[in-house]
Amino acid sequence: MTMLPEGRTIFISLKWKLLVAVLIILTILGGILGGFAYRQLINQQNYLLESQRDKLAQNLQTSISLSVDHSLSAAQQIALLVNDAQQTPSGYQAMLALRWPDLQLYWELDRLSLMSLSGQVRAHAGKLIDSAEMDWFKSVAVMLEPHWRIVCLQECVIQVLVPNLLQGEPHFLFMETGPDGYFGSV
């Protein structure tokens, strides 16, 4: 009961009090259920985002592996192009000068270099090697195994160092595939 200024009271029936109480309870219950549903939705969204991130990471790793395998295959096939008479750095350079457009197009290379273990460029075609690439070469050339890295400046490229024998001496083939090459199309 509520008091009016003239001394009169307003009578609120039990039915209306019960209706207000039920509405309050339903509002609280709806808020709790809505909060629970919102939390479930956020958990499901996080799960889906994590799943998608894992799939993208797996696809990227597969793309990188395929690109490195592609580069290893290219290195082996390029080594077969060097005949016995060209088994010198100058013969290798002559082969690159003669066949570079075909090599570049077929294996989608931006550059190819034959390097000694000391870092001296013996034969080269394509873009020149800069000091950052030489530093990377010197840091990984101590192990005679393939190495690769992805370099992103204005565009991303994959660089691969592949061990190669020339006149029975170990060398490295330094190859770079740009975004228009195999790596960019996967």
Side-chain angles (χ1 to χ4, degrees):
M1 292 213 222
T2 309
M3 296 289 282
L4 293 178
E6 299 144 6
R8 296 174 67 192
T9 61
I10 297 179
F11 176 75
I12 301 176
S13 71
L14 186 59
K15 187 180 356 176
W16 286 105
K17 289 179 184 177
L18 186 59
L19 180 64
V20 169
V22 168
L23 286 175
I24 290 172
I25 290 172
L26 288 177
T27 302
I28 292 171
L29 185 61
I32 291 171
L33 290 176
F36 178 73
Y38 179 74
R39 195 169 6 154
Q40 288 296 96
L41 181 65
I42 294 299
N43 288 342
Q44 184 178 12
Q45 181 184 15
N46 289 339
Y47 172 77
L48 290 174
L49 287 173
E50 186 175 325
S51 173
Q52 185 178 25
R53 181 187 55 84
D54 290 343
K55 285 180 184 177
L56 287 172
Q58 184 180 12
N59 288 342
L60 179 61
Q61 186 60 37
T62 301
S63 296
I64 290 170
S65 296
L66 287 173
S67 184
V68 170
D69 291 344
H70 178 74
S71 297
L72 293 173
S73 174
Q76 292 169 349
Q77 292 177 19
I78 289 169
L80 293 174
L81 293 175
V82 181
N83 61 32
D84 292 336
Q86 294 175 320
Q87 286 290 322
T88 64
S90 60
Y92 212 97
Q93 182 64 48
M95 183 277 299
L96 286 177
L98 178 67
R99 297 186 180 193
W100 175 242
D102 294 332
L103 295 173
Q104 186 179 21
L105 182 63
Y106 187 75
W107 282 293
E108 300 167 339
L109 299 173
D110 286 341
R111 69 174 113 183
L112 176 67
S113 299
L114 178 69
M115 303 173 74
S116 68
L117 294 182
S118 63
Q120 183 180 12
V121 177
R122 301 288 187 161
H124 179 78
K127 296 188 299 188
L128 296 176
I129 296 175
D130 63 22
S131 61
E133 291 154 350
M134 285 303 286
D135 292 342
W136 174 64
F137 172 77
K138 289 176 183 174
S139 70
V140 297
V142 292
M143 295 180 287
L144 286 175
E145 59 187 38
H147 299 279
W148 62 269
R149 71 179 185 165
I150 297 174
V151 179
C152 295
L153 297 173
Q154 291 176 338
E155 54 191 23
C156 291
V157 296
I158 188 163
Q159 296 176 339
V160 181
L161 281 173
V162 182
N164 193 20
L165 286 177
L166 184 65
Q167 294 176 322
E169 293 183 30
H171 288 73
F172 275 101
L173 277 180
F174 175 78
M175 301 184 312
E176 180 178 285
T177 303
D180 297 331
Y182 186 78
F183 180 68
S185 64
V186 174

